[in-house]
Amino acid sequence: MQYRVRHRWGPAVVMTTAFALAVGSQGAAVALPGAPAKADREFASSFEADDPVPDWTDTVDTDRDGGKRASGVDGGYSTGIPGNVTENVTGVRASAENTGGREVKENLVDNEPATKWLTFAPTGWVEFDLDAPTKIAKYALTSANDHDERDPLDWTLKGSADGETWQTLDTRSGEHFDGRFQTRTYELAETAEFQHFRLEITKNNGAGDALQLADVQLATSDTEVPTPEDMLSFVDEGPVGSPTAKANAGFTGKQALRYAGRHTADGRAYSYNKVFDVNVKVDRRSELSYKIFPSMADGDLDYDATNVSVDLAFTDGTYLSDLRATDQHGFPLTPRGQGDAKILYVNQWNSVKSGIGSVAAGKTVDRILLAYDSPKGPAKFRGWLDDVAIQRAAPERPKAHLSDYALTTRGTNSSGSFSRGNNFPATAVPHGFNFWTPVTNAGSLSWIYEYASGNNDDNLPTVQAFSASHEPSPWMGDRQTFQVMPSAASGTPDTGPDARELAFRHENETARPYYYGVRFENGVKAEMTPTDHAAMMRFTYPGDDASVIFDNVNDQAGLTLDKENGTFTGYSDVRSGGSAGATRLFVYGEFDSRVTGGDSSGVKGHLRFDAGRDHSVTMRIATSLISVDQAKDNLRQEIPKRASFDKVKRDAQKQWDRILGKVEVEGATQDQLTTLYSGLYRLYLYPNAGHEKVDGTYKYASPFSKAVKENTPTETGAKIVDGKVYV
């Protein structure tokens, strides 16, 4: 007898027959069978190289009688023209792209006409790398959603064996698209076998400011492709074309499991595919979780790919889908239940969780399945699965502070193409004078923090600065900014945003109204906590090299460093087009560590420190709309020199607990409480304070001074309460 390979919480373990020699009274050797493998309590895979890999590819589950658990579904998912090999593209380069609008080069190979590539120039080029040399006989271009004057008119297609030396394959001129989302196919004079292809667009249809294209397809001479018998389920590089996620990556890591197929029946069709062979014991605390990315195939508004869920096959022959399990929102955790609930967004990653212990405690998971089950067709469907886990959930205990239910990152999985509230993780006191925030794009005055869409090549988010902010909305833009960033560089740090950025993981990030902290992948830890006009930041370094970089969004600002006294002053005239009434912001700050070097030029600069035995540097910073001297006095009033980081943090937390305590609920789940108090936190950020205390009296910077004197609101919407101004 031999036991199957089972995936465990660590490496897979192979159990083979064990023999023991038992010596009886006659001295005979007796072979004893080995005990079955002990069941695991947890399992997890993100489909990365170091994770458990699927035991099956494109394989339908079978019932006790050996029959396939599938009907009306095959693996004939395809998009585009016959012979299309664009899904074999492994890399894309372009002359330029509109990253701010997520109109990027990867959209050209996502087989989704609704997305596009755009460059703010009348001409441009794009290069494509295939996974192997391929014989191309034709190609196709698809026009984008608007502005036909931006369509390509003249172009040349080239091929290359090495990506450096190019051979012309086809040249076109005067080509017009008759409408939006139109696909036109072009035959090559001769079949060309290359691994690299380059499309050079030398003229557009008349626009002087931009060039755009929805899709580019490269195709072989094939007119028909053999149809796989079963639904596809295999590991690849992940989806493209999402407004909120990095292209060609999983939710975490660089890979994900793709599911795809064709629903051939008019009525119900289904397929339950096997993915992992496991041996996991379920108890009352067991939780199933995963990330799912249903794709909108060819603009299909029936959202067929959302009729999908992870299913579990138990050793007793039962299935999770038969046990009335529900997700975290209370919807059935079945393919039909998820599709009917309309809970899954297409073209985006969705988080699904289920407390399976409530319905399956005592059972043992034998196989992890990915299931498609839809009531009607025909249709094509495609999507991706990532971060599958069966783990024991920690028991829910009430939090000691209401402010700990509020997550400031709620609503940040957004972009200029898809908004979930236009939010960024503002650390502040209620109605505070300043916001303080991590910034993933230090050159932006709009989308300053994006949860995932701007991830780096390792699919990790990066922070480029910690900044003072006064942004009411990305659509209005930011104003009066001032940026700092820790650096552990051994020499003079590079102050450029891309060079100084540090990667992190969201599980190493704590984002609360009264505190923000993150541990970066290089070991640097950054923390900040607010007062009304000031903030305290603490940077902890992995070694003796400790620097702090200063910068701003643009050069409409100033900076002066005092290395002898460990202080700095500055001002900011930075403002967006929607912040025309903003006045100058003055800045003053002090460090607690000895300065050992530094330099500045314009708005950029840095200081190096002796960080001491604890390798930490603490900075106190304050702002004012009146003067640098007032900023210095604001710091004295709110964070005096002897104030500790933890004391400032506790005071800020008390303010949030007090105001959030105005609303109390009973019987809510942890997730419901997080939703409630995260929303209240965002509400109580506004209106913002616009007053400062000078010699015991509240003073105001223009345009509010006149309003205070006349006791009337300003045109900017300022309100006066108890002699204080709020904007």
Side-chain angles (χ1 to χ4, degrees):
M1 175 179 179
Q2 185 170 358
Y3 294 98
R4 289 181 296 174
V5 176
R6 295 284 193 175
H7 283 306
R8 307 179 68 87
W9 182 237
V13 177
V14 180
M15 298 298 296
T16 58
T17 303
F19 293 94
L21 292 178
V23 181
S25 58
Q26 288 81 25
V30 180
L32 300 178
K38 186 178 179 180
D40 297 314
R41 291 290 183 177
E42 297 186 329
F43 171 86
S45 178
S46 295
F47 304 99
E48 301 302 305
D50 296 332
D51 291 328
V53 298
D55 296 277
W56 295 281
T57 297
D58 308 338
T59 305
V60 176
D61 192 33
T62 55
D63 57 28
R64 290 181 179 272
D65 297 327
K68 285 186 176 182
R69 298 183 63 223
S71 176
V73 173
D74 63 29
Y77 180 90
S78 62
T79 58
I81 62 177
N84 178 24
V85 297
T86 308
E87 290 190 351
N88 296 332
V89 171
T90 59
V92 186
R93 292 173 297 282
S95 54
E97 58 188 351
N98 178 22
T99 56
R102 291 290 175 261
E103 296 165 338
V104 294
K105 56 188 180 297
E106 287 81 9
N107 293 345
L108 289 170
V109 293
D110 63 357
N111 290 313
E112 297 288 354
T115 65
K116 69 182 179 184
W117 165 67
L118 183 143
T119 174
F120 292 109
T123 63
W125 56 264
V126 189
E127 293 178 358
F128 307 95
D129 301 328
L130 299 180
D131 55 5
T134 305
K135 292 182 178 180
I136 300 300
K138 54 186 178 291
Y139 66 100
L141 307 184
T142 302
S143 61
N145 63 323
D146 59 9
H147 294 288
D148 60 356
E149 68 273 16
R150 296 176 177 176
D151 291 343
L153 191 70
D154 300 348
W155 65 80
T156 297
L157 180 69
K158 297 181 178 181
S160 173
D162 57 8
E164 296 181 0
T165 303
W166 298 94
Q167 177 181 327
T168 297
L169 307 178
D170 189 53
T171 299
R172 303 280 170 164
S173 62
E175 297 287 340
H176 290 274
F177 291 87
D178 296 328
R180 303 302 86 208
F181 306 119
Q182 182 190 20
T183 298
R184 298 191 62 185
T185 302
Y186 305 93
E187 301 282 344
L188 300 184
E190 296 181 2
T191 299
E193 184 174 7
F194 292 104
Q195 189 169 356
H196 310 277
F197 294 86
R198 177 183 174 99
L199 180 67
E200 296 179 355
I201 302 173
T202 54
K203 186 178 181 180
N204 68 7
N205 198 31
D209 62 340
L211 170 70
Q212 66 183 24
L213 196 58
D215 282 320
V216 174
Q217 300 176 58
L218 303 170
T220 66
S221 59
D222 294 338
T223 57
E224 294 184 6
V225 179
T227 301
E229 181 179 353
D230 298 319
M231 183 177 85
L232 307 177
S233 52
F234 60 94
V235 176
D236 73 0
E237 293 181 331
V240 297
S242 172
T244 60
K246 182 174 178 60
N248 296 121
F251 181 78
T252 58
K254 299 181 180 181
Q255 297 186 137
L257 182 88
R258 180 194 292 200
Y259 65 92
R262 187 174 57 174
H263 182 141
T264 59
D266 291 332
R268 182 197 176 202
Y270 60 91
S271 184
Y272 288 70
N273 279 31
K274 299 186 290 187
V275 181
F276 291 110
D277 181 16
V278 298
N279 187 26
V280 180
K281 185 76 172 180
V282 177
D283 62 28
R284 297 193 64 83
R285 288 171 50 191
S286 296
E287 179 181 80
L288 168 67
S289 63
Y290 58 89
K291 303 296 189 299
I292 197 80
F293 186 108
S295 178
M296 180 186 286
D298 295 339
D300 184 0
L301 296 182
D302 288 332
Y303 306 115
D304 298 281
T306 64
N307 293 293
V308 65
S309 72
V310 167
D311 200 5
L312 304 177
F314 299 104
T315 54
D316 62 3
T318 61
Y319 294 89
L320 182 66
S321 54
D322 297 328
L323 301 182
R324 297 186 178 181
T326 60
D327 65 14
Q328 70 269 38
H329 307 293
F331 297 114
L333 190 65
T334 64
R336 290 282 297 275
Q338 293 289 285
D340 291 344
K342 307 300 182 187
I343 195 66
L344 302 177
Y345 280 90
V346 294
N347 296 343
Q348 300 192 49
W349 287 106
N350 299 263
S351 179
V352 180
K353 295 181 180 180
S354 177
I356 61 174
S358 63
V359 297
K363 294 178 180 288
T364 299
V365 182
D366 184 66
R367 304 180 302 282
I368 297 177
L369 316 175
L370 182 61
Y372 168 85
D373 195 333
S374 180
K376 64 178 182 178
K380 292 188 295 184
F381 62 90
R382 175 179 66 165
W384 283 263
L385 174 73
D386 202 10
D387 295 354
V388 180
I390 303 173
Q391 297 175 325
R392 303 185 74 199
E396 289 190 353
R397 294 186 176 91
K399 297 186 185 297
H401 299 273
L402 294 180
S403 54
D404 284 329
Y405 286 108
L407 298 181
T408 63
T409 50
R410 276 288 174 105
T412 63
N413 194 16
S414 305
S415 72
S417 300
F418 187 94
S419 167
R420 282 190 167 89
N422 310 339
N423 295 333
F424 63 94
T427 305
V429 295
H431 308 299
F433 189 82
N434 298 311
F435 298 147
W436 303 92
T437 182
V439 174
T440 59
N441 185 352
S444 174
L445 282 171
S446 54
W447 296 93
I448 57 180
Y449 183 97
E450 293 179 319
Y451 193 83
S453 58
N455 285 5
N456 66 11
D457 291 341
D458 293 321
N459 198 22
L460 291 176
T462 61
V463 166
Q464 295 185 341
F466 295 92
S467 179
S469 171
H470 300 83
E471 180 175 87
S473 161
W475 309 121
M476 292 182 66
D478 210 346
R479 65 181 188 273
Q480 298 159 328
T481 60
F482 187 85
Q483 300 176 351
V484 299
M485 186 66 188
S487 172
S490 58
T492 300
D494 191 327
T495 58
D498 293 335
R500 72 186 187 229
E501 70 179 9
L502 297 177
F504 70 100
R505 301 175 189 272
H506 285 295
E507 56 263 37
N508 296 326
E509 178 185 42
T510 302
R512 299 293 185 270
Y514 62 91
Y515 169 83
Y516 178 88
V518 61
R519 178 174 59 80
F520 295 106
E521 291 293 279
N522 72 341
V524 172
K525 183 177 181 180
E527 303 169 275
M528 58 184 177
T529 189
T531 64
D532 197 352
H533 300 82
M536 204 165 184
M537 299 188 190
R538 182 168 61 193
F539 305 122
T540 305
Y541 301 85
D544 294 330
D545 293 307
S547 297
V548 173
I549 295 169
F550 302 88
D551 198 4
N552 218 315
V553 179
N554 55 46
D555 60 2
Q556 302 300 308
L559 173 69
T560 301
L561 303 179
D562 185 343
K563 290 183 286 186
E564 182 177 350
N565 295 300
T567 65
F568 61 92
T569 59
Y571 69 89
S572 177
D573 292 330
V574 175
R575 62 191 184 195
S576 69
S579 307
T583 58
R584 174 168 290 187
L585 181 78
F586 299 93
V587 180
Y588 174 81
E590 297 179 355
F591 288 95
D592 70 343
S593 299
R594 183 175 64 87
V595 175
T596 60
D599 195 11
S600 65
S601 176
V603 300
K604 295 181 180 291
H606 79 281
L607 290 174
R608 289 183 62 83
F609 299 92
D610 177 357
R613 288 183 295 179
D614 62 357
H615 301 290
S616 70
V617 173
T618 299
M619 180 186 77
R620 297 177 301 122
I621 182 173
T623 68
S624 169
L625 294 176
I626 298 174
S627 66
V628 169
D629 288 340
Q630 182 60 38
K632 183 176 182 179
D633 196 54
N634 288 344
L635 185 63
R636 177 193 61 80
Q637 295 180 63
E638 298 183 13
I639 312 181
K641 287 187 177 182
R642 294 183 180 180
S644 70
F645 186 92
D646 291 339
K647 171 66 164 55
V648 175
K649 178 181 172 183
R650 286 195 301 270
D651 289 347
Q653 186 175 37
K654 288 178 182 178
Q655 293 184 58
W656 279 110
D657 287 341
R658 187 180 306 116
I659 199 165
L660 294 177
K662 294 178 180 293
V663 178
E664 296 183 9
V665 296
E666 295 181 355
T669 65
Q670 292 268 13
D671 189 64
Q672 290 170 331
L673 290 172
T674 294
T675 299
L676 171 65
Y677 290 111
S678 297
L680 287 176
Y681 142 78
R682 194 68 60 177
L683 173 68
Y684 287 128
L685 285 174
Y686 304 99
N688 300 120
H691 53 272
E692 303 178 52
K693 185 178 287 187
V694 182
D695 298 329
T697 303
Y698 288 110
K699 300 292 184 182
Y700 319 92
S702 179
F704 311 120
S705 302
K706 182 175 182 292
V708 172
K709 183 181 293 185
E710 297 177 355
N711 198 28
T712 59
T714 71
E715 294 180 358
T716 61
K719 298 179 181 179
I720 304 161
V721 181
D722 297 329
K724 301 178 181 179
V725 174
Y726 297 90
V727 184

